[in-house]
Amino acid sequence: YTWGLEHSLELVDHCALVLDIHHHWIYSKGEYIESDDNRIKVIKDSWRDVRPVIHYSVSREDVLVEHDPDQLPDYQLLTSLGFTSTRLRAHSDYYWNNSVNNWAATHNEWADIMCEAKQKNLASEPFIKKSL
């Protein structure tokens, strides 16, 4: 979380890159990276003909208690309301935000999604069923 995607892209000649889409959102101060972003091709190529893996988590549900689960969290708005990147970076127990889930699922077309929710088994099953 202290190194951004651009820093990681410098390593493509040495290792396969694992994109963490939530930590990218934090580091970039709110960018929801799209599956057709030019940087995705660089990540895919770093896997040298093996299907890539990405990490997916979402901010804790007990931090964003009153947030509408059908709206993408707005990083700039949340930080202006006093939410710190440290609080927003913490992983949720479940995938409670439908809009974030829908966005994250778009990455399934090019990568396998590794569940980084605290309740991995319970969180991943409903997520994947909605994503298919």
Side-chain angles (χ1 to χ4, degrees):
Y1 60 84
T2 59
W3 235 28
L5 178 56
E6 283 68 27
H7 300 101
S8 298
L9 291 176
E10 297 171 8
L11 302 173
V12 296
D13 293 333
H14 306 289
C15 61
L17 302 179
V18 177
L19 173 63
D20 185 307
I21 57 179
H22 177 65
H23 289 280
H24 176 74
W25 179 75
I26 298 292
Y27 184 84
S28 68
K29 299 185 178 357
E31 179 189 13
Y32 288 96
I33 191 167
E34 298 297 332
S35 60
D36 62 353
D37 188 289
N38 290 335
R39 295 167 291 180
I40 298 299
K41 181 181 180 341
V42 177
I43 293 167
K44 287 170 35 177
D45 290 348
S46 78
W47 283 77
R48 295 156 182 82
D49 297 323
V50 174
R51 185 170 167 83
V53 169
I54 65 170
H55 291 179
Y56 170 47
S57 55
V58 65
S59 298
R60 292 190 56 81
E61 53 272 71
D62 59 350
V63 169
L64 300 180
V65 176
E66 296 183 23
H67 194 279
D68 182 349
D70 293 318
Q71 295 290 318
L72 288 171
D74 181 324
Y75 183 89
Q76 299 300 321
L77 175 63
L78 291 169
T79 55
S80 75
L81 295 172
F83 290 90
T84 64
S85 62
T86 301
R87 287 189 72 205
L88 294 172
R89 185 173 53 240
H91 297 175
S92 65
D93 288 337
Y94 302 97
Y95 292 128
W96 62 273
N97 187 294
N98 300 321
S99 291
V100 177
N101 291 342
N102 292 338
W103 161 73
T106 66
H107 291 281
N108 195 43
E109 67 189 45
W110 68 272
D112 290 334
I113 299 173
M114 292 184 68
C115 177
E116 287 202 315
K118 298 294 183 185
Q119 299 294 325
K120 288 175 181 13
N121 293 342
L122 297 173
S124 61
E125 189 173 326
F127 170 71
I128 196 64
K129 283 182 180 176
K130 286 183 179 180
S131 301
L132 295 175

